[in-house]
Amino acid sequence: MNQQQLERMHSDLGFIAALDQSGGSTPKALLAYGLDQTAYANDEEMFDCVHQMRTRIIKTPSFNKDGILAAILFENTMDRTIDGKYTADYLWQEKGIVPILKIDKGLAEEKNHVKLMKPIPNLAETLKHAVEDRHIFGTKERSVIYDYDEQGIRDIIAQQFDIALQVWHAGAVAIIEPEVDIHNPHKAESEAFMLEVIKEHLAKLGSDVKVMFKLTIPTVNNLYADLMKDPHVVRVVALSGGYSQDEACHLLSLNHGMIASFSRAFAQDLRYQQTDEEFDATVKAAIAKIYAASIA
């Protein structure tokens, strides 16, 4: 594990840019960027388009280590290059930005008011390739809680910690992401119980194990303040969860110590049709707003 990257993730200011739209969400991401389905004829061309979009974001001058701690990549992106370097190497070597890989394969059918992760085939091989060949620091894996259900929440957290331990033993740090849907009718209660279960699992970890958390901005401000102090926890980051950039930043600013890990709320104003100057100015403005909320 890269100790410089670990220290940066634990202590430095900034936020995580989530550039990890995968198969199901890629068409929506491209459409928001200004490219409809006439721009590509098949999945291969679609992923070419999204890699070009991500490359443009990453290479823009304002996308740098001063505001961005890390970037989350889709597996397809990890195995592509930017200026002759694999994406993770380009991020770290050229930008000083820590590379993280989305490893989940989407959500299973809803049960007990939650959606667990689908099985992740060949996880050991993927992690070995990511860490040893592509120099990935960490992973991200998402599941969702739609309503208060103690069994469902326990199932989600158990699955998340099981994957996180596999990631740790492969030489990387997992971002555990049990998203509480922002439309959950018992959102505050779900978050409070989820936190209790998380603490139970943290207490069982070996002293050397490190994890991160990506959590919905809580209904009760600073709910995760104690979680940030746990010696196993490298960082607690916030997902935007469908909020607009302005709303996500406002809510984040009320939760001290929590930093952003935004996807749509980061890239919402970026367009294919913008000039390079307009594009960079838009990236710069988004970074400034999200950075300010992350250090509030």
Side-chain angles (χ1 to χ4, degrees):
M1 183 176 297
N2 187 314
Q3 293 299 312
Q4 186 179 357
Q5 292 177 348
L6 179 62
E7 181 58 31
R8 177 159 167 73
M9 285 306 306
H10 182 263
S11 303
D12 284 359
L13 298 177
F15 68 95
I16 298 174
L19 307 177
D20 59 333
Q21 299 90 350
S22 55
S25 57
T26 297
K28 292 180 181 179
L30 287 173
L31 186 61
Y33 182 53
L35 292 175
D36 63 23
Q37 293 186 3
T38 63
Y40 48 90
N42 51 47
D43 283 355
E44 184 177 354
E45 291 183 6
M46 178 184 73
F47 287 124
D48 287 343
C49 287
V50 82
H51 185 63
Q52 290 165 12
M53 178 186 78
R54 290 166 177 150
T55 296
R56 191 180 187 195
I57 293 171
I58 290 168
K59 290 187 66 176
T60 198
S62 295
F63 192 91
N64 59 57
K65 66 180 181 179
D66 293 337
I68 308 291
L69 282 180
I72 304 175
L73 308 174
F74 175 47
E75 190 172 345
N76 184 283
T77 306
M78 175 183 72
D79 285 322
R80 290 176 180 259
T81 61
I82 299 176
D83 291 352
K85 293 186 176 183
Y86 286 109
T87 306
D89 289 335
Y90 184 91
L91 280 167
W92 181 244
Q93 295 172 9
E94 302 297 327
K95 293 281 188 165
I97 293 171
V98 178
I100 294 169
L101 177 67
K102 166 188 161 69
I103 59 169
D104 70 79
K105 302 300 181 182
L107 301 171
E109 292 298 316
E110 184 174 336
K111 181 180 179 182
N112 296 326
H113 300 99
V114 305
K115 287 186 178 180
L116 298 172
M117 290 179 277
K118 291 180 179 178
I120 307 175
N122 305 312
L123 177 58
E125 291 82 355
T126 298
L127 291 173
K128 186 175 188 296
H129 174 57
V131 173
E132 296 181 8
D133 302 329
R134 297 292 179 262
H135 309 132
I136 293 291
F137 167 78
T139 67
K140 191 214 78 161
E141 41 274 3
R142 172 179 175 261
S143 43
V144 184
I145 299 167
Y146 293 99
D147 202 350
Y148 183 86
D149 188 307
E150 293 189 3
Q151 185 59 54
I153 293 171
R154 286 192 179 279
D155 290 343
I156 270 195
I157 301 305
Q159 184 192 43
Q160 284 280 352
F161 271 84
D162 176 66
I163 298 295
L165 280 171
Q166 294 179 61
V167 171
W168 176 255
H169 291 309
V173 180
I175 297 180
I176 293 171
E177 184 183 2
E179 175 180 350
V180 177
D181 188 89
I182 62 173
H183 303 296
N184 182 325
H186 303 97
K187 181 172 177 287
E189 295 90 336
S190 297
E191 289 166 342
F193 184 73
M194 179 185 73
L195 179 59
E196 290 181 20
V197 180
I198 285 173
K199 288 180 176 179
E200 291 173 6
H201 280 266
L202 285 172
K204 299 174 184 176
L205 294 180
S207 60
D208 64 323
V209 178
K210 302 292 184 184
V211 294
M212 297 182 279
F213 288 93
K214 181 170 179 174
L215 304 172
T216 309
I217 302 169
T219 300
V220 177
N221 292 335
N222 299 306
L223 178 67
Y224 301 124
D226 287 344
L227 185 60
M228 298 175 197
K229 299 173 185 176
D230 189 286
H232 296 100
V233 178
V234 176
R235 210 75 185 238
V236 178
V237 306
L239 57 95
S240 48
Y243 292 124
S244 69
Q245 186 183 99
D246 285 343
E247 190 170 12
C249 286
H250 169 68
L251 294 172
L252 178 61
S253 70
L254 302 176
N255 287 272
H256 306 301
M258 209 173 184
I259 67 171
S261 176
F262 292 172
S263 176
R264 282 169 295 180
F266 169 62
Q268 68 177 29
D269 297 319
L270 299 177
R271 300 292 181 270
Y272 172 79
Q273 295 82 1
Q274 291 169 327
T275 66
D276 288 345
E277 291 75 16
E278 291 169 338
F279 193 85
D280 182 59
T282 305
V283 169
K284 184 176 183 179
I287 289 174
K289 185 181 294 184
I290 298 169
Y291 179 88
S294 295
I295 64 171

